[in-house]
Coordinates of all heavy atoms in Angstrom, one line a residue:
M116 N 39.5 17.6 -57.5 CA 39.9 17.9 -58.9 C 40.1 16.6 -59.6 O 39.8 16.5 -60.8 CB 41.2 18.7 -58.8 CG 41.7 19.1 -60.2 SD 40.6 20.3 -60.9 CE 41.4 20.7 -62.3
L117 N 40.6 15.6 -59.0 CA 40.8 14.3 -59.6 C 39.5 13.7 -60.0 O 39.4 13.1 -61.1 CB 41.6 13.3 -58.7 CG 42.1 12.0 -59.4 CD1 43.0 12.3 -60.6 CD2 42.8 11.2 -58.4
G118 N 38.5 13.9 -59.2 CA 37.1 13.4 -59.6 C 36.6 14.0 -60.8 O 36.0 13.3 -61.7
F119 N 36.8 15.2 -61.0 CA 36.4 15.9 -62.2 C 37.1 15.4 -63.5 O 36.5 15.2 -64.5 CB 36.6 17.4 -62.1 CG 36.3 18.2 -63.4 CD1 35.0 18.5 -63.7 CD2 37.3 18.7 -64.2 CE1 34.7 19.2 -64.9 CE2 37.0 19.4 -65.3 CZ 35.7 19.6 -65.7
I120 N 38.4 15.1 -63.3 CA 39.2 14.6 -64.5 C 38.7 13.2 -64.8 O 38.5 12.9 -66.0 CB 40.7 14.6 -64.1 CG1 41.2 16.0 -64.0 CG2 41.5 13.8 -65.2 CD1 42.6 16.2 -63.5
W121 N 38.4 12.4 -63.8 CA 37.9 11.0 -64.1 C 36.5 11.1 -64.8 O 36.2 10.3 -65.6 CB 37.8 10.2 -62.8 CG 39.1 9.5 -62.6 CD1 39.9 9.8 -61.5 CD2 39.8 8.5 -63.3 NE1 41.1 9.0 -61.6 CE2 41.0 8.2 -62.7 CE3 39.4 7.9 -64.5 CZ2 41.8 7.3 -63.2 CZ3 40.3 6.9 -65.0 CH2 41.5 6.6 -64.4
T122 N 35.7 12.1 -64.3 CA 34.4 12.3 -64.9 C 34.5 12.6 -66.4 O 33.8 12.0 -67.3 CB 33.6 13.4 -64.2 OG1 33.5 13.0 -62.9 CG2 32.2 13.6 -64.8
V123 N 35.4 13.5 -66.8 CA 35.6 13.8 -68.2 C 36.1 12.6 -69.0 O 35.7 12.4 -70.1 CB 36.6 15.0 -68.3 CG1 37.0 15.3 -69.7 CG2 35.9 16.3 -67.7
I124 N 37.1 11.9 -68.4 CA 37.7 10.8 -69.1 C 36.6 9.7 -69.4 O 36.4 9.2 -70.5 CB 38.9 10.2 -68.4 CG1 40.0 11.2 -68.4 CG2 39.3 8.8 -68.9 CD1 41.2 10.8 -67.5
V125 N 35.9 9.3 -68.3 CA 34.9 8.3 -68.4 C 33.7 8.8 -69.4 O 33.2 8.0 -70.2 CB 34.3 7.9 -67.1 CG1 33.1 7.0 -67.2 CG2 35.4 7.2 -66.3
G126 N 33.4 10.0 -69.2 CA 32.3 10.6 -70.1 C 32.7 10.5 -71.6 O 31.9 10.2 -72.4
F127 N 34.0 10.8 -71.9 CA 34.5 10.7 -73.2 C 34.4 9.3 -73.8 O 34.0 9.0 -74.9 CB 35.9 11.3 -73.4 CG 36.5 11.2 -74.8 CD1 36.0 12.0 -75.8 CD2 37.4 10.3 -75.1 CE1 36.5 11.9 -77.1 CE2 37.9 10.1 -76.3 CZ 37.4 11.0 -77.3
I128 N 34.9 8.4 -72.9 CA 34.8 6.9 -73.3 C 33.4 6.5 -73.6 O 33.1 5.8 -74.6 CB 35.5 6.1 -72.3 CG1 37.0 6.4 -72.3 CG2 35.3 4.6 -72.5 CD1 37.8 5.8 -71.1
V129 N 32.5 6.8 -72.7 CA 31.1 6.5 -72.9 C 30.5 7.1 -74.1 O 29.8 6.5 -74.9 CB 30.3 6.9 -71.6 CG1 28.8 6.8 -71.9 CG2 30.6 6.0 -70.4
G130 N 30.8 8.4 -74.4 CA 30.4 9.0 -75.6 C 30.9 8.4 -76.8 O 30.1 8.3 -77.8
V131 N 32.1 8.0 -76.9 CA 32.7 7.4 -78.0 C 32.1 6.0 -78.3 O 31.7 5.7 -79.4 CB 34.3 7.3 -77.9 CG1 34.8 6.3 -79.0 CG2 34.9 8.6 -78.0
I132 N 31.9 5.3 -77.2 CA 31.2 4.0 -77.4 C 29.8 4.1 -77.9 O 29.4 3.4 -78.8 CB 31.2 3.2 -76.1 CG1 32.7 2.8 -75.7 CG2 30.4 1.9 -76.2 CD1 32.8 2.2 -74.4
A133 N 29.1 5.1 -77.4 CA 27.7 5.4 -77.9 C 27.7 5.8 -79.3 O 26.8 5.3 -80.1 CB 27.0 6.4 -77.0
K134 N 28.7 6.6 -79.7 CA 28.8 7.0 -81.1 C 29.1 5.8 -82.0 O 28.7 5.7 -83.2 CB 29.8 8.1 -81.3 CG 29.2 9.4 -80.9 CD 30.3 10.5 -81.0 CE 30.6 10.8 -82.4 NZ 31.6 11.9 -82.6
L135 N 29.9 4.9 -81.6 CA 30.3 3.7 -82.4 C 29.1 2.8 -82.5 O 28.9 2.1 -83.6 CB 31.4 3.0 -81.7 CG 32.8 3.6 -81.8 CD1 33.8 2.9 -81.0 CD2 33.3 3.8 -83.2
I136 N 28.2 2.7 -81.5 CA 27.1 1.8 -81.6 C 26.0 2.4 -82.5 O 25.3 1.7 -83.3 CB 26.5 1.6 -80.2 CG1 27.4 0.8 -79.3 CG2 25.1 0.8 -80.3 CD1 27.0 0.7 -77.9
N137 N 25.8 3.7 -82.5 CA 24.8 4.4 -83.3 C 25.1 4.4 -84.8 O 26.2 4.9 -85.1 CB 24.6 5.8 -82.8 CG 23.4 6.5 -83.3 OD1 22.4 5.8 -83.5 ND2 23.5 7.8 -83.5
P138 N 24.2 3.9 -85.6 CA 24.5 3.9 -87.0 C 24.4 5.4 -87.5 O 23.6 6.2 -87.0 CB 23.4 3.0 -87.6 CG 22.3 3.0 -86.7 CD 23.0 3.2 -85.3
G139 N 25.1 5.7 -88.6 CA 25.0 7.0 -89.2 C 26.2 7.9 -88.7 O 27.1 7.5 -88.0
K140 N 26.2 9.1 -89.2 CA 27.3 10.0 -88.9 C 26.7 11.2 -88.1 O 25.8 11.8 -88.5 CB 27.9 10.5 -90.2 CG 29.1 11.4 -90.0 CD 29.7 11.8 -91.3 CE 31.0 12.5 -90.9 NZ 31.3 13.7 -91.5
E141 N 27.4 11.5 -87.0 CA 27.1 12.7 -86.2 C 28.2 13.6 -86.3 O 29.4 13.2 -86.3 CB 26.9 12.3 -84.8 CG 25.8 11.3 -84.5 CD 26.3 9.9 -84.7 OE1 27.5 9.6 -84.6 OE2 25.5 9.0 -85.0
N142 N 27.9 14.9 -86.5 CA 29.0 15.9 -86.6 C 29.2 16.5 -85.2 O 28.8 17.6 -84.9 CB 28.6 17.0 -87.6 CG 28.5 16.5 -89.0 OD1 29.3 15.6 -89.3 ND2 27.7 17.0 -89.8
M143 N 29.8 15.6 -84.3 CA 30.0 16.0 -83.0 C 31.5 16.0 -82.7 O 32.2 15.0 -83.1 CB 29.3 15.1 -82.0 CG 27.8 15.0 -82.1 SD 27.1 13.8 -81.1 CE 27.2 14.6 -79.5
G144 N 32.0 17.0 -82.2 CA 33.5 17.1 -81.8 C 33.8 16.5 -80.5 O 32.9 15.8 -79.9
F145 N 35.0 16.7 -80.0 CA 35.4 16.2 -78.7 C 34.5 16.6 -77.6 O 34.1 15.8 -76.7 CB 36.9 16.6 -78.5 CG 37.4 16.3 -77.2 CD1 37.8 15.0 -76.8 CD2 37.5 17.2 -76.2 CE1 38.3 14.7 -75.6 CE2 38.0 16.9 -74.9 CZ 38.4 15.6 -74.6
I146 N 34.2 17.9 -77.5 CA 33.5 18.5 -76.4 C 32.1 17.9 -76.4 O 31.6 17.5 -75.3 CB 33.5 20.0 -76.5 CG1 34.9 20.5 -76.3 CG2 32.5 20.6 -75.4 CD1 35.1 22.0 -76.4
L147 N 31.4 17.9 -77.5 CA 30.0 17.4 -77.5 C 30.0 15.9 -77.2 O 29.0 15.4 -76.5 CB 29.3 17.7 -78.8 CG 28.9 19.1 -79.0 CD1 28.2 19.3 -80.4 CD2 27.9 19.5 -77.9
T148 N 31.0 15.1 -77.7 CA 31.0 13.7 -77.4 C 31.2 13.5 -75.9 O 30.6 12.6 -75.3 CB 32.2 13.0 -78.2 OG1 32.0 13.2 -79.6 CG2 32.3 11.6 -77.9
T149 N 32.1 14.3 -75.3 CA 32.3 14.2 -73.9 C 31.1 14.5 -73.1 O 30.7 13.9 -72.1 CB 33.5 15.1 -73.4 OG1 34.7 14.7 -74.2 CG2 33.8 14.9 -72.0
L150 N 30.4 15.6 -73.5 CA 29.2 16.0 -72.8 C 28.1 15.0 -73.0 O 27.3 14.7 -72.0 CB 28.7 17.4 -73.3 CG 29.5 18.6 -73.0 CD1 29.0 19.8 -73.7 CD2 29.6 18.8 -71.5
L151 N 28.0 14.3 -74.1 CA 27.1 13.2 -74.3 C 27.3 12.1 -73.3 O 26.4 11.6 -72.7 CB 27.2 12.7 -75.8 CG 26.5 11.4 -76.1 CD1 25.0 11.6 -76.1 CD2 27.0 10.8 -77.4
G152 N 28.6 11.7 -73.2 CA 28.9 10.7 -72.3 C 28.7 11.0 -70.8 O 28.2 10.2 -70.0
I153 N 29.0 12.3 -70.4 CA 28.8 12.7 -69.1 C 27.3 12.8 -68.8 O 26.8 12.3 -67.7 CB 29.5 14.1 -68.8 CG1 31.0 13.9 -68.9 CG2 29.0 14.7 -67.5 CD1 31.7 15.3 -68.8
G154 N 26.5 13.3 -69.7 CA 25.1 13.3 -69.6 C 24.5 11.9 -69.4 O 23.6 11.7 -68.6
G155 N 24.9 11.0 -70.3 CA 24.5 9.6 -70.2 C 24.8 9.0 -68.8 O 24.0 8.3 -68.2
S156 N 26.0 9.2 -68.4 CA 26.5 8.7 -67.1 C 25.7 9.3 -65.9 O 25.3 8.5 -65.0 CB 28.0 9.0 -66.9 OG 28.8 8.3 -67.8
L157 N 25.5 10.6 -65.9 CA 24.7 11.2 -64.8 C 23.3 10.7 -64.8 O 22.8 10.3 -63.7 CB 24.8 12.7 -64.9 CG 26.1 13.4 -64.7 CD1 26.0 14.9 -65.0 CD2 26.6 13.1 -63.3
L158 N 22.7 10.6 -66.0 CA 21.3 10.2 -66.0 C 21.1 8.7 -65.6 O 20.2 8.4 -64.9 CB 20.7 10.5 -67.4 CG 19.2 10.3 -67.6 CD1 18.4 11.2 -66.6 CD2 18.8 10.6 -69.0
A159 N 22.0 7.9 -66.2 CA 22.0 6.5 -65.8 C 22.3 6.2 -64.4 O 21.6 5.4 -63.7 CB 23.0 5.7 -66.7
G160 N 23.2 7.0 -63.8 CA 23.5 6.8 -62.4 C 22.4 7.2 -61.5 O 22.0 6.5 -60.5
Y161 N 21.7 8.3 -61.9 CA 20.6 8.8 -61.1 C 19.4 7.8 -61.1 O 18.9 7.4 -60.1 CB 20.1 10.1 -61.6 CG 18.9 10.6 -60.9 CD1 19.0 11.1 -59.6 CD2 17.6 10.6 -61.5 CE1 17.9 11.6 -58.9 CE2 16.5 11.0 -60.8 CZ 16.6 11.5 -59.5 OH 15.5 12.0 -58.8
I162 N 19.1 7.3 -62.3 CA 18.0 6.4 -62.5 C 18.3 5.0 -61.9 O 17.5 4.5 -61.1 CB 17.6 6.2 -64.0 CG1 17.1 7.5 -64.6 CG2 16.7 5.0 -64.2 CD1 16.9 7.5 -66.1
G163 N 19.5 4.5 -62.2 CA 19.8 3.2 -61.6 C 19.9 3.1 -60.1 O 19.5 2.2 -59.5
Q164 N 20.4 4.2 -59.5 CA 20.5 4.2 -58.1 C 19.2 4.5 -57.4 O 18.9 4.0 -56.3 CB 21.6 5.2 -57.6 CG 23.0 4.7 -58.0 CD 24.1 5.7 -57.6 OE1 23.9 6.5 -56.7 NE2 25.2 5.8 -58.4
A165 N 18.4 5.3 -58.1 CA 17.1 5.6 -57.5 C 16.2 4.4 -57.5 O 15.4 4.2 -56.6 CB 16.4 6.7 -58.3
V166 N 16.3 3.6 -58.5 CA 15.5 2.4 -58.6 C 16.1 1.2 -57.8 O 15.4 0.3 -57.4 CB 15.3 1.9 -60.1 CG1 14.6 0.6 -60.3 CG2 14.6 3.0 -60.9
G167 N 17.4 1.3 -57.5 CA 18.1 0.3 -56.7 C 18.7 -0.8 -57.5 O 18.9 -1.9 -57.0
W168 N 18.9 -0.6 -58.8 CA 19.5 -1.6 -59.7 C 21.0 -1.8 -59.4 O 21.5 -2.9 -59.5 CB 19.4 -1.2 -61.2 CG 18.0 -1.3 -61.7 CD1 16.9 -2.1 -61.2 CD2 17.4 -0.6 -62.8 NE1 15.8 -1.9 -61.9 CE2 16.1 -1.0 -62.9 CE3 17.9 0.3 -63.7 CZ2 15.3 -0.5 -63.9 CZ3 17.1 0.8 -64.7 CH2 15.8 0.4 -64.8
Y169 N 21.7 -0.8 -59.0 CA 23.1 -0.9 -58.7 C 23.5 0.3 -57.8 O 22.7 1.2 -57.6 CB 24.0 -0.9 -60.0 CG 23.7 0.2 -60.9 CD1 24.4 1.4 -60.8 CD2 22.8 0.1 -62.0 CE1 24.2 2.5 -61.6 CE2 22.6 1.1 -62.8 CZ 23.3 2.3 -62.7 OH 23.1 3.4 -63.5
H170 N 24.7 0.2 -57.3 CA 25.3 1.3 -56.5 C 26.5 1.9 -57.2 O 27.0 1.4 -58.2 CB 25.8 0.7 -55.2 CG 24.7 0.1 -54.4 ND1 23.7 0.8 -53.8 CD2 24.4 -1.2 -54.1 CE1 22.8 0.0 -53.2 NE2 23.2 -1.2 -53.4
A171 N 26.9 3.1 -56.8 CA 28.0 3.8 -57.4 C 29.2 2.9 -57.5 O 29.6 2.2 -56.5 CB 28.3 5.1 -56.7
G172 N 29.9 2.9 -58.6 CA 31.1 2.2 -58.8 C 31.0 0.8 -59.4 O 32.0 0.1 -59.6
E173 N 29.8 0.3 -59.5 CA 29.6 -1.0 -60.1 C 29.7 -1.0 -61.6 O 29.4 0.0 -62.2 CB 28.2 -1.6 -59.6 CG 28.2 -1.9 -58.2 CD 26.8 -2.5 -57.7 OE1 26.0 -2.7 -58.6 OE2 26.7 -2.7 -56.5
G174 N 30.0 -2.1 -62.2 CA 30.2 -2.2 -63.6 C 28.9 -2.0 -64.4 O 28.9 -1.5 -65.5
A175 N 27.8 -2.4 -63.7 CA 26.5 -2.2 -64.4 C 26.2 -0.7 -64.7 O 25.5 -0.3 -65.6 CB 25.4 -2.7 -63.5
G176 N 26.8 0.2 -63.8 CA 26.6 1.6 -64.0 C 27.3 2.1 -65.3 O 26.8 2.9 -66.0
F177 N 28.4 1.5 -65.7 CA 29.1 1.8 -66.9 C 28.3 1.4 -68.1 O 28.1 2.1 -69.1 CB 30.5 1.2 -67.0 CG 31.3 1.6 -68.2 CD1 31.9 2.8 -68.2 CD2 31.4 0.8 -69.3 CE1 32.6 3.2 -69.4 CE2 32.1 1.1 -70.4 CZ 32.7 2.4 -70.4
I178 N 27.8 0.2 -68.0 CA 26.9 -0.4 -69.1 C 25.7 0.5 -69.3 O 25.3 0.8 -70.4 CB 26.6 -1.8 -68.9 CG1 27.8 -2.7 -68.9 CG2 25.6 -2.4 -69.9 CD1 27.7 -4.1 -68.3
A179 N 25.0 0.8 -68.2 CA 23.8 1.7 -68.2 C 24.2 3.0 -68.8 O 23.4 3.6 -69.5 CB 23.2 1.8 -66.8
S180 N 25.3 3.6 -68.5 CA 25.8 4.9 -69.0 C 25.9 4.8 -70.5 O 25.4 5.8 -71.2 CB 27.1 5.3 -68.4 OG 27.0 5.4 -67.0
V181 N 26.4 3.8 -71.0 CA 26.6 3.6 -72.5 C 25.2 3.6 -73.1 O 24.9 4.2 -74.2 CB 27.4 2.4 -72.9 CG1 27.4 2.2 -74.4 CG2 28.9 2.6 -72.4
I182 N 24.3 2.8 -72.5 CA 22.9 2.6 -73.1 C 22.2 4.0 -73.1 O 21.6 4.4 -74.1 CB 22.2 1.6 -72.3 CG1 22.8 0.2 -72.6 CG2 20.7 1.6 -72.7 CD1 22.3 -0.9 -71.7
V183 N 22.3 4.7 -72.0 CA 21.6 6.0 -71.9 C 22.2 7.0 -72.8 O 21.5 7.8 -73.5 CB 21.5 6.5 -70.4 CG1 21.0 7.9 -70.3 CG2 20.7 5.6 -69.5
A184 N 23.5 7.0 -72.9 CA 24.2 7.9 -73.9 C 23.8 7.6 -75.3 O 23.5 8.5 -76.1 CB 25.7 7.8 -73.7
F185 N 23.6 6.3 -75.6 CA 23.1 5.9 -76.9 C 21.7 6.4 -77.2 O 21.4 6.9 -78.3 CB 23.2 4.4 -77.1 CG 22.5 3.9 -78.3 CD1 23.1 4.0 -79.6 CD2 21.2 3.3 -78.2 CE1 22.4 3.6 -80.7 CE2 20.6 2.9 -79.4 CZ 21.2 3.0 -80.6
L186 N 20.9 6.3 -76.2 CA 19.5 6.8 -76.3 C 19.4 8.3 -76.5 O 18.7 8.8 -77.3 CB 18.6 6.4 -75.1 CG 18.4 4.9 -75.0 CD1 17.7 4.6 -73.7 CD2 17.5 4.4 -76.2
I187 N 20.3 9.0 -75.8 CA 20.4 10.5 -75.9 C 20.8 10.8 -77.4 O 20.3 11.7 -78.0 CB 21.3 11.1 -74.9 CG1 20.7 11.0 -73.5 CG2 21.6 12.6 -75.2 CD1 21.7 11.4 -72.4
L188 N 21.8 10.1 -77.8 CA 22.3 10.3 -79.2 C 21.3 10.0 -80.2 O 21.1 10.7 -81.2 CB 23.6 9.5 -79.4 CG 24.3 9.7 -80.7 CD1 24.8 11.2 -80.9 CD2 25.5 8.8 -80.8
F189 N 20.5 8.9 -80.0 CA 19.5 8.5 -81.0 C 18.4 9.6 -81.0 O 18.0 10.0 -82.1 CB 18.9 7.2 -80.5 CG 17.8 6.7 -81.4 CD1 18.1 6.1 -82.6 CD2 16.5 6.8 -81.0 CE1 17.1 5.6 -83.5 CE2 15.5 6.3 -81.9 CZ 15.8 5.7 -83.1
I190 N 18.0 10.1 -79.9 CA 16.9 11.2 -79.8 C 17.5 12.5 -80.4 O 16.8 13.1 -81.2 CB 16.5 11.4 -78.4 CG1 15.7 10.2 -77.8 CG2 15.6 12.7 -78.2 CD1 15.5 10.2 -76.4
Y191 N 18.7 12.8 -80.2 CA 19.4 14.0 -80.8 C 19.4 13.8 -82.3 O 19.1 14.8 -83.0 CB 20.8 14.1 -80.2 CG 21.6 15.1 -81.0 CD1 21.4 16.5 -80.7 CD2 22.5 14.8 -82.0 CE1 22.2 17.4 -81.4 CE2 23.3 15.7 -82.6 CZ 23.1 17.0 -82.4 OH 23.8 18.0 -83.0
G192 N 19.7 12.7 -82.8 CA 19.7 12.4 -84.3 C 18.3 12.7 -84.9 O 18.1 13.2 -85.9
K193 N 17.2 12.2 -84.2 CA 15.9 12.3 -84.7 C 15.4 13.8 -84.6 O 14.8 14.3 -85.6 CB 14.9 11.5 -83.8 CG 15.1 10.0 -84.0 CD 14.8 9.6 -85.4 CE 15.0 8.1 -85.5 NZ 14.8 7.6 -86.8
V194 N 15.8 14.5 -83.6 CA 15.4 15.9 -83.5 C 16.2 16.8 -84.5 O 15.6 17.7 -85.1 CB 15.6 16.4 -82.0 CG1 15.5 17.9 -81.9 CG2 14.7 15.7 -81.1
A195 N 17.5 16.5 -84.7 CA 18.3 17.3 -85.6 C 17.9 17.0 -87.0 O 18.0 18.0 -87.8 CB 19.8 16.9 -85.4
K196 N 17.4 15.9 -87.4 CA 16.9 15.6 -88.7 C 15.7 16.4 -89.1 O 15.5 16.8 -90.2 CB 16.5 14.1 -88.9 CG 17.6 13.3 -89.4 CD 17.0 11.9 -89.7 CE 18.1 10.9 -90.1 NZ 17.6 9.6 -90.3
K197 N 14.8 16.7 -88.1 CA 13.6 17.4 -88.4 C 13.8 18.9 -88.7 O 13.0 19.5 -89.3 CB 12.6 17.3 -87.2 CG 12.1 15.9 -87.1 CD 11.1 15.8 -85.9 CE 10.5 14.4 -85.8 NZ 9.6 14.2 -84.8
K198 N 14.9 19.4 -88.2 CA 15.2 20.8 -88.4 C 15.8 21.1 -89.8 O 16.3 20.5 -90.5 CB 16.2 21.3 -87.4 CG 15.5 21.4 -86.0 CD 16.5 22.0 -85.0 CE 15.8 22.1 -83.7 NZ 16.5 22.7 -82.7

């Protein structure tokens, strides 16, 4: 249970940082921001560990999570604009 709580907390922090880096305004609430961060963390963790760039728990994983969450947010912004 504690692992789930940490995942939500870290996901929220990563999502907020990604939103601060991204220019423009996104109409995302707490839940979508948290899901953005969790998605970025999971995808960055999978890619980084599969390629061998880092292992679980390293600081590079957090940085990669922010970068991937930013990319997801950027792509979301481009797709949402077209609609």
Side-chain angles (χ1 to χ4, degrees):
M116 183 67 176
L117 189 60
F119 175 75
I120 294 171
W121 276 113
T122 301
V123 171
I124 291 170
V125 171
F127 178 71
I128 292 169
V129 168
V131 167
I132 293 171
K134 283 178 65 174
L135 289 173
I136 294 171
N137 191 33
K140 183 175 188 229
E141 303 83 23
N142 293 328
M143 299 174 74
F145 172 78
I146 294 174
L147 285 178
T148 300
T149 304
L150 291 175
L151 168 71
I153 292 171
S156 295
L157 290 175
L158 190 58
Y161 177 75
I162 293 170
Q164 291 178 28
V166 175
W168 289 337
Y169 55 85
H170 300 288
E173 292 183 2
F177 184 80
I178 295 167
S180 297
V181 171
I182 293 170
V183 172
F185 170 76
L186 291 174
I187 292 171
L188 185 59
F189 182 78
I190 292 168
Y191 170 78
K193 293 295 181 185
V194 170
K196 264 187 189 177
K197 290 183 180 181
K198 290 185 178 184

